[in-house]
Amino acid sequence: MGKLELSQVALRRMKEEDINIVKELIKEGSQGSENRLILYLLTRPLALLLLAIASSVLRCLLHSFILALVLPVFAVIIYLKLTIPRTLGILGTSKPYWDYIGSSYRGPGDCTMENPYVQRKEGNVGTSTKAQDKGRCQKGKSREMDAREREAGEVWLAVLDGEIIGCIALEGGLSEDICRICRLVVQCWYRKEGLGRLLVESVERQEKALGRNRVCAHVPIASKVAMAFFQKLGYCKKEDLTEGELEGDKLGEIVEERSWMGFPVNRVFVKDLFGKE
């Protein structure tokens, strides 16, 4: 397979007929992160202590060292598998599930997002009038959306020759000043080709045109690659922000970090869209 030409990738909203494909794409992309997170949680000192206690109790009841050792670990893994939804992940949103129908675009024709790499290839610099018009179009359209669609959020797809090769999900129902990236997934054949960067940069341009000040993303604490990815794009950890930078918006209330048994399971990364470049 040759190098991916980013300028050939089309960006559009997910439609109802795309839902099953997007679900499979997200399921495939989340398996590795989910397994690493489960391994991380199971190896925390407190978790190991509780597992050892449970094994000791079961050994007295079952009179089998192997069963007493395996059963607690197996039970915790099943519990974590059930409580970390593969469809969106416990890290990405405050909602217990993702409303695929609500987040699918039901307007006439395709709702598209401008690909910044097309402009770069053509030699244009900065935000074009077309991009500004698109931002106004999106802002006007958002006022006409029903309550379910506003609450559900948006899923944007990266499409190459009719094939969905990546997606990025944005949570709805948040502050007018903040956009939250819930999930970023790239098909395995197109990873390390710049597609994830394309999706994030395109969302940033669109949200900036809509007047939003910040974009934030939840990253699994066990995923060092994802942390490095967002830091390379100019994001910083939420805990590194000063009180002055947090003052004036509801970032601290809206964008919460998650924990399990007192251990953090994610990091929130934040980028100021109108900060110094």
Side-chain angles (χ1 to χ4, degrees):
M1 181 180 294
K3 183 175 176 60
L4 175 64
E5 184 63 50
L6 294 176
S7 61
Q8 301 299 317
V9 177
L11 304 174
R12 65 171 176 84
R13 279 282 300 274
M14 179 187 71
K15 294 187 174 183
E16 193 167 344
E17 56 265 29
D18 302 319
I19 290 178
N20 290 332
I21 298 175
V22 172
K23 281 184 176 180
E24 288 301 317
L25 180 64
I26 292 177
K27 180 180 178 180
E28 174 194 339
S30 65
Q31 283 179 342
S33 297
E34 182 181 274
N35 292 334
R36 284 192 296 271
L37 178 59
I38 290 175
L39 179 62
Y40 170 83
L41 294 175
L42 287 176
T43 54
R44 297 307 92 196
L46 180 57
L48 292 173
L49 176 61
L50 293 177
L51 287 173
I53 294 173
S55 295
S56 299
V57 174
L58 286 176
R59 188 176 181 184
C60 297
L61 299 175
L62 300 176
H63 304 290
S64 172
F65 175 77
I66 295 178
L67 285 177
L69 185 64
V70 171
L71 283 178
V73 177
F74 183 75
V76 173
I77 291 176
I78 295 298
Y79 169 76
L80 291 174
K81 286 282 187 180
L82 293 175
T83 55
I84 302 178
R86 290 186 178 182
T87 52
L88 63 106
I90 193 174
L91 306 173
T93 179
S94 57
K95 301 180 178 66
Y97 66 95
W98 186 264
D99 185 358
Y100 281 94
I101 298 296
S103 60
S104 60
Y105 180 67
R106 298 184 293 278
D110 288 335
C111 181
T112 61
M113 182 162 55
E114 191 170 9
N115 182 340
Y117 284 82
V118 175
Q119 285 191 343
R120 294 175 189 177
K121 186 175 181 180
E122 294 173 352
N124 295 330
V125 180
T127 304
S128 66
T129 303
K130 181 180 178 182
Q132 294 172 353
D133 290 341
K134 186 64 178 176
R136 287 195 291 269
C137 176
Q138 292 289 341
K139 192 170 184 178
K141 179 180 67 65
S142 66
R143 297 193 187 101
E144 300 173 1
M145 290 180 180
D146 56 32
R148 180 178 180 182
E149 186 172 351
R150 287 196 303 271
E151 185 68 23
E154 302 176 357
V155 179
W156 289 90
L157 309 179
V159 182
L160 180 66
D161 297 329
E163 179 187 7
I164 297 174
I165 61 175
C167 70
I168 185 168
L170 311 177
E171 182 169 0
L174 296 179
S175 165
E176 292 294 329
D177 298 326
I178 300 172
C179 168
R180 173 154 58 184
I181 298 174
C182 306
R183 175 68 70 185
L184 174 64
V185 180
V186 173
Q187 195 181 104
C188 60
W189 297 107
Y190 297 96
R191 290 172 186 169
K192 297 184 179 180
E193 296 279 355
L195 185 59
R197 184 187 188 98
L198 166 64
L199 285 165
V200 174
E201 287 183 345
S202 300
V203 164
E204 289 174 359
R205 287 165 62 93
Q206 175 179 264
E207 297 306 309
K208 187 174 182 178
L210 292 173
R212 293 193 173 92
N213 298 321
R214 284 175 171 168
V215 176
C216 61
H218 286 238
V219 179
I221 197 168
S223 181
K224 305 300 182 184
V225 174
M227 290 186 185
F229 169 79
F230 280 101
Q231 287 178 321
K232 190 175 181 180
L233 291 181
Y235 287 73
C236 63
K237 295 180 182 178
K238 177 189 166 189
E239 60 263 31
D240 293 338
L241 298 177
T242 65
E243 292 185 3
E245 291 173 315
L246 290 172
E247 188 177 356
D249 59 42
K250 298 182 179 180
L251 182 64
E253 301 174 13
I254 297 174
V255 188
E256 72 282 357
E257 295 183 345
R258 306 292 179 83
S259 62
W260 183 77
M261 294 181 63
F263 295 102
V265 297
N266 76 309
R267 286 285 182 265
V268 175
F269 284 77
V270 182
K271 183 173 182 179
D272 188 347
L273 297 179
F274 293 92
K276 295 181 180 180
E277 298 182 358

